[in-house]
Structures are given as structure tokens and as C-alpha cells.
Amino acid sequence: MKKRCLITGVAGFIGSHLAEALTAEGHEVLGLDSFADYYAREVKESNLSGLQGEAAFDLVEGDLARLDLGGLLRGVDWVFHQAAQAGVRASWGDFFRTYTDNNILGTQRLLEAVRQVGSAGNGKVARIVYASSSSIYGEAEEARTPEDATPRPISPYGVSKLAAEQLGYLYWKQFGLPVVSLRYFTVYGPRQRPDMAFNRFIDALLSGGEVQIYGDGEQTRDFTYVGDAVAANLAAAERGRDGTVYNIGGGERASVNRVVEILEEVSGRRAKRSYHDRQAGDVRHTWADVSRAERELGFAPRVDLRDGIKRQYEWQRRGKLDGDQQRTS
């Protein structure tokens, strides 16, 4: 059955892929984005290029913390709350105010608006899928981290994501809002944000610059391909259990050094590595226990790390070639 969907942060990395997947399945999408200046607006506009002229897609520009959300929510069946101020390393100091406004206040205002729209008799939202983060765990103790591990974030960003996740739980517990949270583990793939590691590494390989690695490179991550993260959102909208949190991981943990090796293999280029001090808030290891998502959502990652890295490399390589051609024409 066709659904009307609201995606916050629609011009971002995951949000734009999710919008394309939903419209491809015949759903209507209302996309909301503030086009915050954390990275270039042109990048976000490019993310939405595949949706231009799509009759089932509408875009609204606005800030969740300030916008009147009631009108946007009327008639909406599913809400995918992807909007957030991203970045672990930037979340320290005075800039933390941006995280509290965008991640905590924005989430609270969205949840309150969903509650008010429902209580006003204008039709209730059937599902809210919140994009949480593995950063809420901090330095996890278990090899594979289950959802019931005690959260101890070690960055202000992780604190803000955990606070927003807990707001979702509270609004489910107190008011019955159908909130489901997905804890993403290091998502990568085409359109990845410019500040994220894979994007930076590939740009350096293509330009002949240095691949800058923070720490010794032996820290490991459970890397998740963006298409698998999108599939998890669709499954959560259809089958998620209200008030429940699900880990979403790629099923394949690797060190940063191993990622660079794979990039060298798929690109045929030699990386000029440089190592720098570990950054505050960076955890040593992550690895998702996704058994709950497998059992309840039918989730299973389908894209392995090497294939996913190759897809992202080819996407960035094509983008660089297109840019070079435009500059010389």
C-alpha cells in the first residue's frame, strides 16, 4: 500500500538514498532539510539530483528546531528522522550548542508535533524511524555489542544522539508514539559526507595527496553499506516493534589500515599514508550484534566491504572525472 512519508535530513547522505528507495517503491515523499553549512550546499543539492522532476517527491527547506511542523505531518504515515548535526570530532567546545539544537531540541519538537497532530484527530503517524548511532555505546565491552549493553558515549555527539533516542523512548512510553530507533554502525557508500574517512581517503588517492589516518590505524569498525542502512529503514517501518532499538551493522569488521589496503587494491593506486594523533571521542572498536534486527526485521547486510568500497571509489572517481571535464570545457 502506498504511504506518505516525511524524511528529515533528506538532502543528506542516507536521507537522499532513502528518498530514492521509497519513491521507487511507489510511496510519496515529503523531504525536509535545513541545508546547514556543515558541508557545502552544492553537495546536498547534488544528492537530490536523482529526485528532480519526480512527481512523488516534494522538498521543504527549514529547521526542525524552528519550523511549524504540524502542517507538514498531516496525512503522513511514516516519519524517517534522519536529520542531525553529524561529526564526533566537531562536537566539543562552543559548537556543542549546534548539537543540542539540531539533535535534541529538533527531535523533541518533531515528536511533540507528531503527538499533537494525532491528538487533534488529523490522522496518526503509523511509524517513526529514528536514525541513532553506535556512538551511543562508547567503548563497548563486548566483542559484538548487543542493544542492551550499557550506553557510555565518549563524545558530545554520542551524548546528543543518546538523548534524542531516549526522547523517542519516552514519547512511546508516555504517549504511545510508534517510535523505532536504528543504531547505525559507520555507514559508507556513494554520497558519503565529505568529512568522513572513506570519502577523504578516496579523494586523497585520486588527487595524489596524503591519506591521513588518526591513531595507529588498527582501530576497527563494523562498516555498513548505505543500501543496507536504507533496507533497514524500510524494514523498520514495516515490521519494527514500537519502543525498540535495533543495531544496524554491515556484519564485517575491519581495521582502518585494512580499509586503505582494500582501496589500494580496487584503485590500483598506492596510498601515501600519514598518521596523526588519535582524536578526542574516537572509539577503539565497534562491532554490532544484529541478531535482534535479523530476527524481528528480517534484516541482513547484503553488500560486503570490498564490493561496497569499490562502489564508493567508482562513484567518487566518476565525479572527479566529470568535474575535471567541466573545468576544461
PDB file of all heavy atoms in Angstrom, residues 8-10 12-13 32-34 36 38-39 44 64 80-87 98-104 106-107 130-133 157 160-161 164 184 193:
ATOM      1  N   THR A   8      13.242  13.676   7.344  1.00  0.00           N
ATOM      2  CA  THR A   8      14.036  14.823   7.761  1.00  0.00           C
ATOM      3  C   THR A   8      15.491  14.564   7.373  1.00  0.00           C
ATOM      4  O   THR A   8      15.942  13.424   7.351  1.00  0.00           O
ATOM      5  CB  THR A   8      13.935  15.048   9.278  1.00  0.00           C
ATOM      6  OG1 THR A   8      14.617  13.990   9.967  1.00  0.00           O
ATOM      7  CG2 THR A   8      12.477  15.110   9.726  1.00  0.00           C
ATOM      8  N   GLY A   9      16.223  15.632   7.040  1.00  0.00           N
ATOM      9  CA  GLY A   9      17.592  15.443   6.575  1.00  0.00           C
ATOM     10  C   GLY A   9      17.650  14.758   5.219  1.00  0.00           C
ATOM     11  O   GLY A   9      18.561  13.988   4.926  1.00  0.00           O
ATOM     12  N   VAL A  10      16.673  15.065   4.367  1.00  0.00           N
ATOM     13  CA  VAL A  10      16.529  14.334   3.107  1.00  0.00           C
ATOM     14  C   VAL A  10      17.673  14.595   2.133  1.00  0.00           C
ATOM     15  O   VAL A  10      17.953  13.758   1.260  1.00  0.00           O
ATOM     16  CB  VAL A  10      15.173  14.672   2.446  1.00  0.00           C
ATOM     17  CG1 VAL A  10      15.177  16.094   1.873  1.00  0.00           C
ATOM     18  CG2 VAL A  10      14.804  13.673   1.361  1.00  0.00           C
ATOM     19  N   GLY A  12      20.764  14.784   2.867  1.00  0.00           N
ATOM     20  CA  GLY A  12      21.994  14.190   3.364  1.00  0.00           C
ATOM     21  C   GLY A  12      22.317  12.870   2.702  1.00  0.00           C
ATOM     22  O   GLY A  12      21.618  12.394   1.798  1.00  0.00           O
ATOM     23  N   PHE A  13      23.369  12.263   3.180  1.00  0.00           N
ATOM     24  CA  PHE A  13      23.901  11.019   2.641  1.00  0.00           C
ATOM     25  C   PHE A  13      22.862   9.906   2.652  1.00  0.00           C
ATOM     26  O   PHE A  13      22.437   9.399   1.601  1.00  0.00           O
ATOM     27  CB  PHE A  13      25.142  10.660   3.472  1.00  0.00           C
ATOM     28  CG  PHE A  13      25.714   9.292   3.292  1.00  0.00           C
ATOM     29  CD1 PHE A  13      25.720   8.663   2.054  1.00  0.00           C
ATOM     30  CD2 PHE A  13      26.286   8.638   4.372  1.00  0.00           C
ATOM     31  CE1 PHE A  13      26.272   7.402   1.895  1.00  0.00           C
ATOM     32  CE2 PHE A  13      26.849   7.379   4.232  1.00  0.00           C
ATOM     33  CZ  PHE A  13      26.831   6.760   2.994  1.00  0.00           C
ATOM     34  N   LEU A  32      12.409  17.104   4.080  1.00  0.00           N
ATOM     35  CA  LEU A  32      12.714  18.320   4.835  1.00  0.00           C
ATOM     36  C   LEU A  32      14.216  18.391   5.072  1.00  0.00           C
ATOM     37  O   LEU A  32      14.836  17.400   5.482  1.00  0.00           O
ATOM     38  CB  LEU A  32      11.977  18.300   6.173  1.00  0.00           C
ATOM     39  CG  LEU A  32      12.287  19.427   7.158  1.00  0.00           C
ATOM     40  CD1 LEU A  32      11.853  20.777   6.597  1.00  0.00           C
ATOM     41  CD2 LEU A  32      11.603  19.162   8.505  1.00  0.00           C
ATOM     42  N   ASP A  33      14.813  19.551   4.813  1.00  0.00           N
ATOM     43  CA  ASP A  33      16.239  19.736   5.085  1.00  0.00           C
ATOM     44  C   ASP A  33      16.515  21.211   5.349  1.00  0.00           C
ATOM     45  O   ASP A  33      15.918  22.086   4.704  1.00  0.00           O
ATOM     46  CB  ASP A  33      17.092  19.259   3.900  1.00  0.00           C
ATOM     47  CG  ASP A  33      18.473  18.808   4.343  1.00  0.00           C
ATOM     48  OD1 ASP A  33      19.297  19.672   4.699  1.00  0.00           O
ATOM     49  OD2 ASP A  33      18.720  17.581   4.358  1.00  0.00           O
ATOM     50  N   SER A  34      17.426  21.471   6.279  1.00  0.00           N
ATOM     51  CA  SER A  34      17.784  22.857   6.607  1.00  0.00           C
ATOM     52  C   SER A  34      18.962  23.355   5.788  1.00  0.00           C
ATOM     53  O   SER A  34      19.289  24.534   5.821  1.00  0.00           O
ATOM     54  CB  SER A  34      18.130  22.974   8.095  1.00  0.00           C
ATOM     55  OG  SER A  34      19.332  22.274   8.380  1.00  0.00           O
ATOM     56  N   ALA A  36      22.076  22.959   6.364  1.00  0.00           N
ATOM     57  CA  ALA A  36      23.062  23.528   7.284  1.00  0.00           C
ATOM     58  C   ALA A  36      24.431  23.548   6.618  1.00  0.00           C
ATOM     59  O   ALA A  36      24.733  22.732   5.733  1.00  0.00           O
ATOM     60  CB  ALA A  36      23.114  22.706   8.565  1.00  0.00           C
ATOM     61  N   TYR A  38      27.395  22.679   7.516  1.00  0.00           N
ATOM     62  CA  TYR A  38      28.449  21.773   7.980  1.00  0.00           C
ATOM     63  C   TYR A  38      29.325  21.316   6.810  1.00  0.00           C
ATOM     64  O   TYR A  38      30.506  21.085   6.950  1.00  0.00           O
ATOM     65  CB  TYR A  38      27.820  20.579   8.694  1.00  0.00           C
ATOM     66  CG  TYR A  38      28.813  19.636   9.329  1.00  0.00           C
ATOM     67  CD1 TYR A  38      29.614  20.055  10.393  1.00  0.00           C
ATOM     68  CD2 TYR A  38      28.945  18.330   8.881  1.00  0.00           C
ATOM     69  CE1 TYR A  38      30.526  19.186  10.979  1.00  0.00           C
ATOM     70  CE2 TYR A  38      29.844  17.461   9.465  1.00  0.00           C
ATOM     71  CZ  TYR A  38      30.632  17.888  10.517  1.00  0.00           C
ATOM     72  OH  TYR A  38      31.540  17.032  11.089  1.00  0.00           O
ATOM     73  N   TYR A  39      28.699  21.136   5.650  1.00  0.00           N
ATOM     74  CA  TYR A  39      29.456  20.966   4.410  1.00  0.00           C
ATOM     75  C   TYR A  39      28.677  21.657   3.296  1.00  0.00           C
ATOM     76  O   TYR A  39      27.559  22.136   3.510  1.00  0.00           O
ATOM     77  CB  TYR A  39      29.759  19.498   4.090  1.00  0.00           C
ATOM     78  CG  TYR A  39      28.581  18.561   4.004  1.00  0.00           C
ATOM     79  CD1 TYR A  39      28.017  18.227   2.782  1.00  0.00           C
ATOM     80  CD2 TYR A  39      28.049  17.973   5.147  1.00  0.00           C
ATOM     81  CE1 TYR A  39      26.954  17.349   2.689  1.00  0.00           C
ATOM     82  CE2 TYR A  39      26.986  17.085   5.077  1.00  0.00           C
ATOM     83  CZ  TYR A  39      26.447  16.780   3.844  1.00  0.00           C
ATOM     84  OH  TYR A  39      25.393  15.910   3.758  1.00  0.00           O
ATOM     85  N   LYS A  44      24.798  18.735  -1.115  1.00  0.00           N
ATOM     86  CA  LYS A  44      23.458  18.265  -0.743  1.00  0.00           C
ATOM     87  C   LYS A  44      22.488  18.386  -1.923  1.00  0.00           C
ATOM     88  O   LYS A  44      21.652  17.501  -2.137  1.00  0.00           O
ATOM     89  CB  LYS A  44      22.954  19.059   0.455  1.00  0.00           C
ATOM     90  CG  LYS A  44      23.807  18.856   1.692  1.00  0.00           C
ATOM     91  CD  LYS A  44      23.298  19.690   2.852  1.00  0.00           C
ATOM     92  CE  LYS A  44      24.199  19.538   4.059  1.00  0.00           C
ATOM     93  NZ  LYS A  44      23.738  20.337   5.203  1.00  0.00           N
ATOM     94  N   LEU A  64      14.166  22.075  11.822  1.00  0.00           N
ATOM     95  CA  LEU A  64      13.273  21.351  12.725  1.00  0.00           C
ATOM     96  C   LEU A  64      13.066  22.081  14.052  1.00  0.00           C
ATOM     97  O   LEU A  64      11.990  22.020  14.644  1.00  0.00           O
ATOM     98  CB  LEU A  64      13.849  19.966  13.032  1.00  0.00           C
ATOM     99  CG  LEU A  64      13.465  18.798  12.136  1.00  0.00           C
ATOM    100  CD1 LEU A  64      14.230  17.566  12.576  1.00  0.00           C
ATOM    101  CD2 LEU A  64      11.970  18.549  12.174  1.00  0.00           C
ATOM    102  N   PHE A  80      10.696   9.292   8.820  1.00  0.00           N
ATOM    103  CA  PHE A  80      12.081   8.823   8.903  1.00  0.00           C
ATOM    104  C   PHE A  80      12.925  10.010   9.364  1.00  0.00           C
ATOM    105  O   PHE A  80      13.188  10.936   8.590  1.00  0.00           O
ATOM    106  CB  PHE A  80      12.566   8.294   7.554  1.00  0.00           C
ATOM    107  CG  PHE A  80      11.804   7.094   7.063  1.00  0.00           C
ATOM    108  CD1 PHE A  80      10.696   7.246   6.232  1.00  0.00           C
ATOM    109  CD2 PHE A  80      12.182   5.814   7.431  1.00  0.00           C
ATOM    110  CE1 PHE A  80       9.979   6.148   5.776  1.00  0.00           C
ATOM    111  CE2 PHE A  80      11.466   4.700   6.980  1.00  0.00           C
ATOM    112  CZ  PHE A  80      10.375   4.872   6.151  1.00  0.00           C
ATOM    113  N   HIS A  81      13.341   9.982  10.614  1.00  0.00           N
ATOM    114  CA  HIS A  81      14.046  11.115  11.207  1.00  0.00           C
ATOM    115  C   HIS A  81      15.558  10.916  11.057  1.00  0.00           C
ATOM    116  O   HIS A  81      16.223  10.370  11.928  1.00  0.00           O
ATOM    117  CB  HIS A  81      13.645  11.260  12.675  1.00  0.00           C
ATOM    118  CG  HIS A  81      14.258  12.431  13.359  1.00  0.00           C
ATOM    119  ND1 HIS A  81      14.639  13.578  12.701  1.00  0.00           N
ATOM    120  CD2 HIS A  81      14.571  12.626  14.681  1.00  0.00           C
ATOM    121  CE1 HIS A  81      15.150  14.429  13.578  1.00  0.00           C
ATOM    122  NE2 HIS A  81      15.119  13.869  14.772  1.00  0.00           N
ATOM    123  N   GLN A  82      16.068  11.381   9.904  1.00  0.00           N
ATOM    124  CA  GLN A  82      17.493  11.259   9.592  1.00  0.00           C
ATOM    125  C   GLN A  82      18.285  12.514   9.954  1.00  0.00           C
ATOM    126  O   GLN A  82      19.507  12.482  10.029  1.00  0.00           O
ATOM    127  CB  GLN A  82      17.670  10.990   8.091  1.00  0.00           C
ATOM    128  CG  GLN A  82      16.955   9.767   7.569  1.00  0.00           C
ATOM    129  CD  GLN A  82      17.558   8.483   8.071  1.00  0.00           C
ATOM    130  OE1 GLN A  82      18.781   8.335   8.129  1.00  0.00           O
ATOM    131  NE2 GLN A  82      16.718   7.539   8.460  1.00  0.00           N
ATOM    132  N   ALA A  83      17.598  13.633  10.142  1.00  0.00           N
ATOM    133  CA  ALA A  83      18.281  14.912  10.341  1.00  0.00           C
ATOM    134  C   ALA A  83      19.064  14.912  11.645  1.00  0.00           C
ATOM    135  O   ALA A  83      18.563  14.477  12.687  1.00  0.00           O
ATOM    136  CB  ALA A  83      17.270  16.057  10.342  1.00  0.00           C
ATOM    137  N   ALA A  84      20.293  15.420  11.596  1.00  0.00           N
ATOM    138  CA  ALA A  84      21.123  15.553  12.795  1.00  0.00           C
ATOM    139  C   ALA A  84      22.352  16.380  12.457  1.00  0.00           C
ATOM    140  O   ALA A  84      22.766  16.448  11.289  1.00  0.00           O
ATOM    141  CB  ALA A  84      21.564  14.184  13.314  1.00  0.00           C
ATOM    142  N   GLN A  85      22.922  16.987  13.481  1.00  0.00           N
ATOM    143  CA  GLN A  85      24.245  17.569  13.330  1.00  0.00           C
ATOM    144  C   GLN A  85      25.242  16.434  13.505  1.00  0.00           C
ATOM    145  O   GLN A  85      25.330  15.825  14.574  1.00  0.00           O
ATOM    146  CB  GLN A  85      24.504  18.652  14.382  1.00  0.00           C
ATOM    147  CG  GLN A  85      25.890  19.259  14.304  1.00  0.00           C
ATOM    148  CD  GLN A  85      26.163  19.924  12.956  1.00  0.00           C
ATOM    149  OE1 GLN A  85      25.363  20.726  12.494  1.00  0.00           O
ATOM    150  NE2 GLN A  85      27.277  19.586  12.335  1.00  0.00           N
ATOM    151  N   ALA A  86      25.967  16.132  12.450  1.00  0.00           N
ATOM    152  CA  ALA A  86      26.882  14.990  12.456  1.00  0.00           C
ATOM    153  C   ALA A  86      28.271  15.416  12.914  1.00  0.00           C
ATOM    154  O   ALA A  86      28.586  16.594  13.028  1.00  0.00           O
ATOM    155  CB  ALA A  86      26.953  14.391  11.055  1.00  0.00           C
ATOM    156  N   GLY A  87      29.115  14.407  13.163  1.00  0.00           N
ATOM    157  CA  GLY A  87      30.530  14.655  13.424  1.00  0.00           C
ATOM    158  C   GLY A  87      30.915  14.512  14.877  1.00  0.00           C
ATOM    159  O   GLY A  87      30.503  15.313  15.719  1.00  0.00           O
ATOM    160  N   THR A  98      25.159  23.677  18.718  1.00  0.00           N
ATOM    161  CA  THR A  98      24.555  23.234  17.459  1.00  0.00           C
ATOM    162  C   THR A  98      24.006  21.817  17.592  1.00  0.00           C
ATOM    163  O   THR A  98      22.948  21.482  17.031  1.00  0.00           O
ATOM    164  CB  THR A  98      25.583  23.297  16.325  1.00  0.00           C
ATOM    165  OG1 THR A  98      26.149  24.608  16.278  1.00  0.00           O
ATOM    166  CG2 THR A  98      24.958  22.973  14.977  1.00  0.00           C
ATOM    167  N   TYR A  99      24.690  20.981  18.359  1.00  0.00           N
ATOM    168  CA  TYR A  99      24.255  19.592  18.557  1.00  0.00           C
ATOM    169  C   TYR A  99      23.009  19.533  19.439  1.00  0.00           C
ATOM    170  O   TYR A  99      22.101  18.734  19.182  1.00  0.00           O
ATOM    171  CB  TYR A  99      25.393  18.764  19.155  1.00  0.00           C
ATOM    172  CG  TYR A  99      26.500  18.503  18.171  1.00  0.00           C
ATOM    173  CD1 TYR A  99      27.434  19.482  17.857  1.00  0.00           C
ATOM    174  CD2 TYR A  99      26.612  17.283  17.515  1.00  0.00           C
ATOM    175  CE1 TYR A  99      28.440  19.261  16.936  1.00  0.00           C
ATOM    176  CE2 TYR A  99      27.616  17.039  16.588  1.00  0.00           C
ATOM    177  CZ  TYR A  99      28.530  18.046  16.302  1.00  0.00           C
ATOM    178  OH  TYR A  99      29.515  17.815  15.374  1.00  0.00           O
ATOM    179  N   THR A 100      22.970  20.359  20.466  1.00  0.00           N
ATOM    180  CA  THR A 100      21.777  20.350  21.319  1.00  0.00           C
ATOM    181  C   THR A 100      20.566  20.873  20.556  1.00  0.00           C
ATOM    182  O   THR A 100      19.467  20.341  20.687  1.00  0.00           O
ATOM    183  CB  THR A 100      22.005  21.167  22.603  1.00  0.00           C
ATOM    184  OG1 THR A 100      22.334  22.511  22.266  1.00  0.00           O
ATOM    185  CG2 THR A 100      23.105  20.556  23.447  1.00  0.00           C
ATOM    186  N   ASP A 101      20.758  21.916  19.739  1.00  0.00           N
ATOM    187  CA  ASP A 101      19.638  22.459  18.961  1.00  0.00           C
ATOM    188  C   ASP A 101      19.145  21.462  17.915  1.00  0.00           C
ATOM    189  O   ASP A 101      17.948  21.184  17.808  1.00  0.00           O
ATOM    190  CB  ASP A 101      20.058  23.753  18.256  1.00  0.00           C
ATOM    191  CG  ASP A 101      20.077  24.946  19.189  1.00  0.00           C
ATOM    192  OD1 ASP A 101      19.638  24.810  20.345  1.00  0.00           O
ATOM    193  OD2 ASP A 101      20.532  26.019  18.779  1.00  0.00           O
ATOM    194  N   ASN A 102      20.061  20.925  17.130  1.00  0.00           N
ATOM    195  CA  ASN A 102      19.670  20.088  15.994  1.00  0.00           C
ATOM    196  C   ASN A 102      19.309  18.664  16.393  1.00  0.00           C
ATOM    197  O   ASN A 102      18.372  18.077  15.829  1.00  0.00           O
ATOM    198  CB  ASN A 102      20.790  20.057  14.952  1.00  0.00           C
ATOM    199  CG  ASN A 102      21.002  21.405  14.291  1.00  0.00           C
ATOM    200  OD1 ASN A 102      20.149  22.289  14.374  1.00  0.00           O
ATOM    201  ND2 ASN A 102      22.130  21.576  13.626  1.00  0.00           N
ATOM    202  N   ASN A 103      20.043  18.087  17.316  1.00  0.00           N
ATOM    203  CA  ASN A 103      19.850  16.671  17.624  1.00  0.00           C
ATOM    204  C   ASN A 103      18.840  16.432  18.738  1.00  0.00           C
ATOM    205  O   ASN A 103      18.081  15.458  18.691  1.00  0.00           O
ATOM    206  CB  ASN A 103      21.181  16.024  17.995  1.00  0.00           C
ATOM    207  CG  ASN A 103      22.178  16.064  16.859  1.00  0.00           C
ATOM    208  OD1 ASN A 103      21.888  16.579  15.787  1.00  0.00           O
ATOM    209  ND2 ASN A 103      23.376  15.544  17.085  1.00  0.00           N
ATOM    210  N   ILE A 104      18.840  17.304  19.736  1.00  0.00           N
ATOM    211  CA  ILE A 104      17.949  17.092  20.879  1.00  0.00           C
ATOM    212  C   ILE A 104      16.673  17.921  20.743  1.00  0.00           C
ATOM    213  O   ILE A 104      15.566  17.368  20.723  1.00  0.00           O
ATOM    214  CB  ILE A 104      18.680  17.416  22.199  1.00  0.00           C
ATOM    215  CG1 ILE A 104      19.930  16.534  22.334  1.00  0.00           C
ATOM    216  CG2 ILE A 104      17.728  17.182  23.377  1.00  0.00           C
ATOM    217  CD1 ILE A 104      20.783  16.857  23.550  1.00  0.00           C
ATOM    218  N   GLY A 106      15.508  19.572  18.130  1.00  0.00           N
ATOM    219  CA  GLY A 106      14.815  19.249  16.881  1.00  0.00           C
ATOM    220  C   GLY A 106      14.023  17.962  16.997  1.00  0.00           C
ATOM    221  O   GLY A 106      12.880  17.873  16.516  1.00  0.00           O
ATOM    222  N   THR A 107      14.611  16.956  17.661  1.00  0.00           N
ATOM    223  CA  THR A 107      13.913  15.679  17.841  1.00  0.00           C
ATOM    224  C   THR A 107      12.701  15.846  18.758  1.00  0.00           C
ATOM    225  O   THR A 107      11.611  15.318  18.475  1.00  0.00           O
ATOM    226  CB  THR A 107      14.874  14.631  18.420  1.00  0.00           C
ATOM    227  OG1 THR A 107      15.957  14.435  17.501  1.00  0.00           O
ATOM    228  CG2 THR A 107      14.167  13.309  18.661  1.00  0.00           C
ATOM    229  N   TYR A 130      13.813   6.490  13.875  1.00  0.00           N
ATOM    230  CA  TYR A 130      14.848   7.443  14.274  1.00  0.00           C
ATOM    231  C   TYR A 130      16.229   6.895  13.952  1.00  0.00           C
ATOM    232  O   TYR A 130      16.553   5.749  14.290  1.00  0.00           O
ATOM    233  CB  TYR A 130      14.750   7.743  15.770  1.00  0.00           C
ATOM    234  CG  TYR A 130      15.932   8.507  16.312  1.00  0.00           C
ATOM    235  CD1 TYR A 130      16.222   9.794  15.858  1.00  0.00           C
ATOM    236  CD2 TYR A 130      16.781   7.943  17.254  1.00  0.00           C
ATOM    237  CE1 TYR A 130      17.315  10.493  16.334  1.00  0.00           C
ATOM    238  CE2 TYR A 130      17.866   8.637  17.743  1.00  0.00           C
ATOM    239  CZ  TYR A 130      18.131   9.914  17.282  1.00  0.00           C
ATOM    240  OH  TYR A 130      19.219  10.595  17.750  1.00  0.00           O
ATOM    241  N   ALA A 131      17.065   7.728  13.316  1.00  0.00           N
ATOM    242  CA  ALA A 131      18.432   7.342  12.976  1.00  0.00           C
ATOM    243  C   ALA A 131      19.349   7.627  14.154  1.00  0.00           C
ATOM    244  O   ALA A 131      19.805   8.751  14.347  1.00  0.00           O
ATOM    245  CB  ALA A 131      18.902   8.104  11.739  1.00  0.00           C
ATOM    246  N   SER A 132      19.614   6.604  14.951  1.00  0.00           N
ATOM    247  CA  SER A 132      20.541   6.727  16.065  1.00  0.00           C
ATOM    248  C   SER A 132      21.942   6.317  15.600  1.00  0.00           C
ATOM    249  O   SER A 132      22.202   6.251  14.395  1.00  0.00           O
ATOM    250  CB  SER A 132      20.070   5.884  17.248  1.00  0.00           C
ATOM    251  OG  SER A 132      20.839   6.157  18.402  1.00  0.00           O
ATOM    252  N   SER A 133      22.831   6.047  16.525  1.00  0.00           N
ATOM    253  CA  SER A 133      24.237   5.838  16.167  1.00  0.00           C
ATOM    254  C   SER A 133      24.919   4.882  17.137  1.00  0.00           C
ATOM    255  O   SER A 133      24.597   4.857  18.341  1.00  0.00           O
ATOM    256  CB  SER A 133      24.973   7.184  16.187  1.00  0.00           C
ATOM    257  OG  SER A 133      26.372   7.013  16.126  1.00  0.00           O
ATOM    258  N   TYR A 157      28.805  14.379  20.694  1.00  0.00           N
ATOM    259  CA  TYR A 157      27.904  13.909  19.638  1.00  0.00           C
ATOM    260  C   TYR A 157      27.138  12.676  20.098  1.00  0.00           C
ATOM    261  O   TYR A 157      25.908  12.592  19.966  1.00  0.00           O
ATOM    262  CB  TYR A 157      28.700  13.594  18.377  1.00  0.00           C
ATOM    263  CG  TYR A 157      27.918  12.796  17.356  1.00  0.00           C
ATOM    264  CD1 TYR A 157      26.940  13.400  16.583  1.00  0.00           C
ATOM    265  CD2 TYR A 157      28.159  11.427  17.168  1.00  0.00           C
ATOM    266  CE1 TYR A 157      26.208  12.666  15.649  1.00  0.00           C
ATOM    267  CE2 TYR A 157      27.437  10.689  16.237  1.00  0.00           C
ATOM    268  CZ  TYR A 157      26.464  11.311  15.488  1.00  0.00           C
ATOM    269  OH  TYR A 157      25.742  10.581  14.583  1.00  0.00           O
ATOM    270  N   SER A 160      24.435  13.513  22.520  1.00  0.00           N
ATOM    271  CA  SER A 160      23.249  14.125  21.900  1.00  0.00           C
ATOM    272  C   SER A 160      22.396  13.083  21.187  1.00  0.00           C
ATOM    273  O   SER A 160      21.163  13.149  21.216  1.00  0.00           O
ATOM    274  CB  SER A 160      23.667  15.239  20.926  1.00  0.00           C
ATOM    275  OG  SER A 160      24.252  14.727  19.739  1.00  0.00           O
ATOM    276  N   LYS A 161      23.017  12.106  20.548  1.00  0.00           N
ATOM    277  CA  LYS A 161      22.244  11.067  19.864  1.00  0.00           C
ATOM    278  C   LYS A 161      21.520  10.161  20.866  1.00  0.00           C
ATOM    279  O   LYS A 161      20.391   9.738  20.630  1.00  0.00           O
ATOM    280  CB  LYS A 161      23.159  10.238  18.956  1.00  0.00           C
ATOM    281  CG  LYS A 161      23.751  11.011  17.784  1.00  0.00           C
ATOM    282  CD  LYS A 161      22.693  11.536  16.836  1.00  0.00           C
ATOM    283  CE  LYS A 161      22.096  10.436  15.987  1.00  0.00           C
ATOM    284  NZ  LYS A 161      21.127  10.977  14.991  1.00  0.00           N
ATOM    285  N   ALA A 164      18.469  12.056  22.225  1.00  0.00           N
ATOM    286  CA  ALA A 164      17.357  12.048  21.274  1.00  0.00           C
ATOM    287  C   ALA A 164      16.697  10.674  21.208  1.00  0.00           C
ATOM    288  O   ALA A 164      15.462  10.561  21.120  1.00  0.00           O
ATOM    289  CB  ALA A 164      17.856  12.476  19.895  1.00  0.00           C
ATOM    290  N   TYR A 184      22.969   3.004  13.742  1.00  0.00           N
ATOM    291  CA  TYR A 184      23.841   2.759  12.601  1.00  0.00           C
ATOM    292  C   TYR A 184      25.293   2.569  13.059  1.00  0.00           C
ATOM    293  O   TYR A 184      25.797   3.330  13.884  1.00  0.00           O
ATOM    294  CB  TYR A 184      23.842   3.956  11.647  1.00  0.00           C
ATOM    295  CG  TYR A 184      22.540   4.319  10.994  1.00  0.00           C
ATOM    296  CD1 TYR A 184      22.307   5.642  10.621  1.00  0.00           C
ATOM    297  CD2 TYR A 184      21.556   3.388  10.717  1.00  0.00           C
ATOM    298  CE1 TYR A 184      21.129   6.019   9.995  1.00  0.00           C
ATOM    299  CE2 TYR A 184      20.376   3.752  10.093  1.00  0.00           C
ATOM    300  CZ  TYR A 184      20.163   5.070   9.740  1.00  0.00           C
ATOM    301  OH  TYR A 184      18.996   5.445   9.126  1.00  0.00           O
ATOM    302  N   ARG A 193      29.369  11.696   3.348  1.00  0.00           N
ATOM    303  CA  ARG A 193      29.740  13.072   3.662  1.00  0.00           C
ATOM    304  C   ARG A 193      31.221  13.327   3.419  1.00  0.00           C
ATOM    305  O   ARG A 193      32.063  12.447   3.668  1.00  0.00           O
ATOM    306  CB  ARG A 193      29.444  13.401   5.138  1.00  0.00           C
ATOM    307  CG  ARG A 193      28.011  13.455   5.520  1.00  0.00           C
ATOM    308  CD  ARG A 193      27.818  14.162   6.864  1.00  0.00           C
ATOM    309  NE  ARG A 193      28.890  13.957   7.796  1.00  0.00           N
ATOM    310  CZ  ARG A 193      28.944  13.006   8.735  1.00  0.00           C
ATOM    311  NH1 ARG A 193      27.948  12.143   8.843  1.00  0.00           N
ATOM    312  NH2 ARG A 193      29.963  12.916   9.562  1.00  0.00           N
TER     313      ARG A 193
END
